[in-house]
Short mmCIF file of all heavy atoms in Angstrom, two decimals:
data_model
loop_
_atom_site.label_atom_id
_atom_site.label_comp_id
_atom_site.label_asym_id
_atom_site.label_seq_id
_atom_site.Cartn_x
_atom_site.Cartn_y
_atom_site.Cartn_z
N THR I 1 -47.63 -31.19 48.16
CA THR I 1 -46.49 -31.40 49.06
C THR I 1 -46.31 -32.88 49.40
O THR I 1 -45.21 -33.31 49.68
CB THR I 1 -46.69 -30.61 50.36
OG1 THR I 1 -47.99 -30.93 50.95
CG2 THR I 1 -46.62 -29.12 50.08
N ALA I 2 -47.39 -33.65 49.35
CA ALA I 2 -47.29 -35.07 49.63
C ALA I 2 -46.50 -35.76 48.51
O ALA I 2 -45.60 -36.63 48.83
CB ALA I 2 -48.68 -35.73 49.73
N LEU I 3 -46.75 -35.41 47.27
CA LEU I 3 -46.00 -36.00 46.18
C LEU I 3 -44.50 -35.52 46.25
O LEU I 3 -43.62 -36.34 45.97
CB LEU I 3 -46.59 -35.58 44.81
CG LEU I 3 -47.82 -36.32 44.32
CD1 LEU I 3 -48.23 -35.81 42.92
CD2 LEU I 3 -47.59 -37.84 44.29
N ILE I 4 -44.32 -34.30 46.62
CA ILE I 4 -42.93 -33.80 46.76
C ILE I 4 -42.18 -34.59 47.80
O ILE I 4 -41.06 -35.01 47.61
CB ILE I 4 -42.92 -32.29 47.06
CG1 ILE I 4 -43.44 -31.49 45.83
CG2 ILE I 4 -41.53 -31.83 47.46
CD1 ILE I 4 -43.61 -30.04 46.12
N ALA I 5 -42.81 -34.78 48.98
CA ALA I 5 -42.15 -35.50 50.05
C ALA I 5 -41.86 -36.93 49.63
O ALA I 5 -40.79 -37.44 49.92
CB ALA I 5 -43.08 -35.47 51.30
N GLU I 6 -42.82 -37.54 48.94
CA GLU I 6 -42.55 -38.98 48.47
C GLU I 6 -41.44 -38.99 47.48
O GLU I 6 -40.54 -39.87 47.57
CB GLU I 6 -43.84 -39.49 47.88
CG GLU I 6 -43.66 -40.95 47.44
CD GLU I 6 -44.90 -41.52 46.70
OE1 GLU I 6 -45.85 -40.73 46.46
OE2 GLU I 6 -44.88 -42.71 46.35
N GLY I 7 -41.42 -38.06 46.54
CA GLY I 7 -40.37 -38.00 45.55
C GLY I 7 -38.99 -37.79 46.16
O GLY I 7 -38.01 -38.44 45.79
N VAL I 8 -38.90 -36.93 47.10
CA VAL I 8 -37.61 -36.60 47.77
C VAL I 8 -37.14 -37.84 48.56
O VAL I 8 -35.94 -38.20 48.53
CB VAL I 8 -37.76 -35.41 48.69
CG1 VAL I 8 -36.50 -35.25 49.61
CG2 VAL I 8 -37.94 -34.11 47.87
N GLU I 9 -38.04 -38.51 49.28
CA GLU I 9 -37.63 -39.71 50.05
C GLU I 9 -37.14 -40.83 49.13
O GLU I 9 -36.08 -41.42 49.43
CB GLU I 9 -38.85 -40.16 50.83
CG GLU I 9 -38.57 -41.40 51.71
CD GLU I 9 -39.75 -41.91 52.45
OE1 GLU I 9 -40.86 -41.28 52.33
OE2 GLU I 9 -39.66 -42.92 53.22
N ILE I 10 -37.81 -41.04 48.00
CA ILE I 10 -37.37 -42.06 47.05
C ILE I 10 -36.00 -41.66 46.48
O ILE I 10 -35.09 -42.50 46.36
CB ILE I 10 -38.43 -42.24 45.93
CG1 ILE I 10 -39.68 -42.89 46.54
CG2 ILE I 10 -37.87 -43.08 44.80
CD1 ILE I 10 -40.86 -42.88 45.57
N LEU I 11 -35.85 -40.39 46.14
CA LEU I 11 -34.56 -39.93 45.57
C LEU I 11 -33.44 -40.08 46.52
O LEU I 11 -32.34 -40.55 46.16
CB LEU I 11 -34.71 -38.44 45.16
CG LEU I 11 -33.42 -37.81 44.65
CD1 LEU I 11 -32.91 -38.50 43.41
CD2 LEU I 11 -33.71 -36.31 44.42
N GLN I 12 -33.62 -39.69 47.79
CA GLN I 12 -32.56 -39.77 48.76
C GLN I 12 -32.09 -41.22 48.95
O GLN I 12 -30.86 -41.48 49.09
CB GLN I 12 -33.02 -39.18 50.09
CG GLN I 12 -33.15 -37.66 50.05
CD GLN I 12 -33.73 -37.10 51.34
OE1 GLN I 12 -34.44 -37.81 52.08
NE2 GLN I 12 -33.51 -35.81 51.59
N ALA I 13 -33.00 -42.14 48.97
CA ALA I 13 -32.62 -43.54 49.09
C ALA I 13 -31.85 -44.05 47.90
O ALA I 13 -30.90 -44.83 48.03
CB ALA I 13 -33.90 -44.44 49.30
N ALA I 14 -32.21 -43.56 46.71
CA ALA I 14 -31.51 -43.95 45.50
C ALA I 14 -30.07 -43.39 45.50
O ALA I 14 -29.13 -44.05 45.17
CB ALA I 14 -32.30 -43.49 44.26
N LEU I 15 -29.97 -42.08 45.83
CA LEU I 15 -28.66 -41.46 45.80
C LEU I 15 -27.72 -42.07 46.83
O LEU I 15 -26.49 -42.11 46.63
CB LEU I 15 -28.79 -39.93 46.11
CG LEU I 15 -29.50 -39.13 45.01
CD1 LEU I 15 -29.68 -37.64 45.51
CD2 LEU I 15 -28.68 -39.12 43.74
N ALA I 16 -28.28 -42.58 47.91
CA ALA I 16 -27.44 -43.18 48.96
C ALA I 16 -26.73 -44.44 48.49
O ALA I 16 -25.74 -44.86 49.07
CB ALA I 16 -28.31 -43.53 50.18
N ARG I 17 -27.21 -45.03 47.37
CA ARG I 17 -26.60 -46.23 46.82
C ARG I 17 -25.41 -45.93 45.94
O ARG I 17 -24.71 -46.82 45.47
CB ARG I 17 -27.64 -47.04 46.08
CG ARG I 17 -28.84 -47.43 46.99
CD ARG I 17 -29.79 -48.33 46.26
NE ARG I 17 -29.14 -49.59 45.92
CZ ARG I 17 -29.70 -50.51 45.09
NH1 ARG I 17 -30.89 -50.26 44.51
NH2 ARG I 17 -29.05 -51.61 44.81
N ASP I 18 -25.14 -44.61 45.70
CA ASP I 18 -23.94 -44.17 45.02
C ASP I 18 -23.79 -44.77 43.63
O ASP I 18 -22.68 -45.18 43.25
CB ASP I 18 -22.69 -44.48 45.88
CG ASP I 18 -21.52 -43.59 45.42
OD1 ASP I 18 -21.73 -42.55 44.82
OD2 ASP I 18 -20.34 -44.02 45.73
N ARG I 19 -24.89 -44.88 42.88
CA ARG I 19 -24.84 -45.32 41.47
C ARG I 19 -25.60 -44.28 40.64
O ARG I 19 -26.69 -44.56 40.16
CB ARG I 19 -25.42 -46.72 41.29
CG ARG I 19 -24.52 -47.81 41.89
CD ARG I 19 -25.23 -49.14 41.94
NE ARG I 19 -25.83 -49.52 40.66
CZ ARG I 19 -26.76 -50.46 40.50
NH1 ARG I 19 -27.17 -51.13 41.59
NH2 ARG I 19 -27.24 -50.76 39.33
N LEU I 20 -25.06 -43.11 40.54
CA LEU I 20 -25.73 -41.99 39.90
C LEU I 20 -26.04 -42.21 38.44
O LEU I 20 -25.18 -42.72 37.69
CB LEU I 20 -24.89 -40.71 40.06
CG LEU I 20 -25.57 -39.41 39.59
CD1 LEU I 20 -26.80 -39.08 40.44
CD2 LEU I 20 -24.58 -38.26 39.62
N GLY I 21 -27.24 -41.87 38.04
CA GLY I 21 -27.65 -41.91 36.64
C GLY I 21 -28.40 -40.68 36.27
O GLY I 21 -28.65 -39.83 37.15
N GLU I 22 -28.77 -40.53 35.00
CA GLU I 22 -29.32 -39.28 34.54
C GLU I 22 -30.69 -38.95 35.21
O GLU I 22 -30.98 -37.78 35.45
CB GLU I 22 -29.45 -39.27 33.02
CG GLU I 22 -30.41 -40.29 32.42
CD GLU I 22 -30.61 -40.06 30.91
OE1 GLU I 22 -31.14 -39.03 30.54
OE2 GLU I 22 -30.21 -40.95 30.18
N TYR I 23 -31.50 -39.93 35.44
CA TYR I 23 -32.81 -39.67 36.06
C TYR I 23 -32.67 -39.22 37.50
O TYR I 23 -33.46 -38.33 37.94
CB TYR I 23 -33.74 -40.91 35.97
CG TYR I 23 -33.99 -41.32 34.51
CD1 TYR I 23 -33.62 -42.63 34.07
CD2 TYR I 23 -34.53 -40.45 33.63
CE1 TYR I 23 -33.83 -42.99 32.77
CE2 TYR I 23 -34.73 -40.84 32.27
CZ TYR I 23 -34.39 -42.09 31.88
OH TYR I 23 -34.60 -42.49 30.56
N GLN I 24 -31.71 -39.80 38.23
CA GLN I 24 -31.47 -39.32 39.57
C GLN I 24 -30.95 -37.88 39.57
O GLN I 24 -31.38 -37.10 40.42
CB GLN I 24 -30.45 -40.22 40.30
CG GLN I 24 -30.88 -41.66 40.48
CD GLN I 24 -29.71 -42.56 40.89
OE1 GLN I 24 -29.26 -42.48 42.04
NE2 GLN I 24 -29.26 -43.40 40.01
N ALA I 25 -30.08 -37.53 38.65
CA ALA I 25 -29.56 -36.17 38.60
C ALA I 25 -30.68 -35.19 38.24
O ALA I 25 -30.80 -34.13 38.80
CB ALA I 25 -28.44 -36.10 37.57
N GLN I 26 -31.53 -35.57 37.29
CA GLN I 26 -32.67 -34.69 36.93
C GLN I 26 -33.62 -34.54 38.11
O GLN I 26 -34.14 -33.46 38.36
CB GLN I 26 -33.43 -35.28 35.74
CG GLN I 26 -32.71 -35.17 34.43
CD GLN I 26 -33.63 -35.58 33.27
OE1 GLN I 26 -34.66 -34.98 33.01
NE2 GLN I 26 -33.20 -36.57 32.52
N ALA I 27 -33.86 -35.64 38.87
CA ALA I 27 -34.74 -35.56 40.00
C ALA I 27 -34.14 -34.67 41.10
O ALA I 27 -34.88 -33.97 41.79
CB ALA I 27 -34.97 -37.00 40.56
N ALA I 28 -32.81 -34.69 41.24
CA ALA I 28 -32.17 -33.87 42.23
C ALA I 28 -32.38 -32.37 41.90
O ALA I 28 -32.64 -31.55 42.81
CB ALA I 28 -30.67 -34.16 42.34
N ILE I 29 -32.32 -32.04 40.63
CA ILE I 29 -32.60 -30.64 40.19
C ILE I 29 -34.04 -30.30 40.47
O ILE I 29 -34.32 -29.21 41.01
CB ILE I 29 -32.25 -30.50 38.68
CG1 ILE I 29 -30.76 -30.66 38.46
CG2 ILE I 29 -32.77 -29.13 38.18
CD1 ILE I 29 -30.35 -30.78 37.01
N ALA I 30 -34.92 -31.22 40.16
CA ALA I 30 -36.39 -30.94 40.41
C ALA I 30 -36.64 -30.78 41.90
O ALA I 30 -37.48 -29.97 42.31
CB ALA I 30 -37.21 -32.07 39.85
N ALA I 31 -35.93 -31.58 42.72
CA ALA I 31 -36.12 -31.47 44.22
C ALA I 31 -35.67 -30.11 44.74
O ALA I 31 -36.29 -29.55 45.64
CB ALA I 31 -35.35 -32.60 44.87
#
């Protein structure tokens, strides 16, 4: 759960910059 929380936090900050790429989209699915 610690890795999941870290991954979600990093992803949310990246998505907030509104420059979507394939790794962000894949991470959103994994989240």
Side-chain angles (χ1 to χ4, degrees):
T1 54
L3 281 184
I4 291 173
E6 182 185 5
V8 169
E9 181 180 0
I10 292 171
L11 173 63
Q12 288 175 338
L15 292 175
R17 301 185 63 191
D18 199 23
R19 288 170 52 195
L20 185 64
E22 64 173 294
Y23 299 121
Q24 295 169 72
Q26 287 188 59
I29 293 168

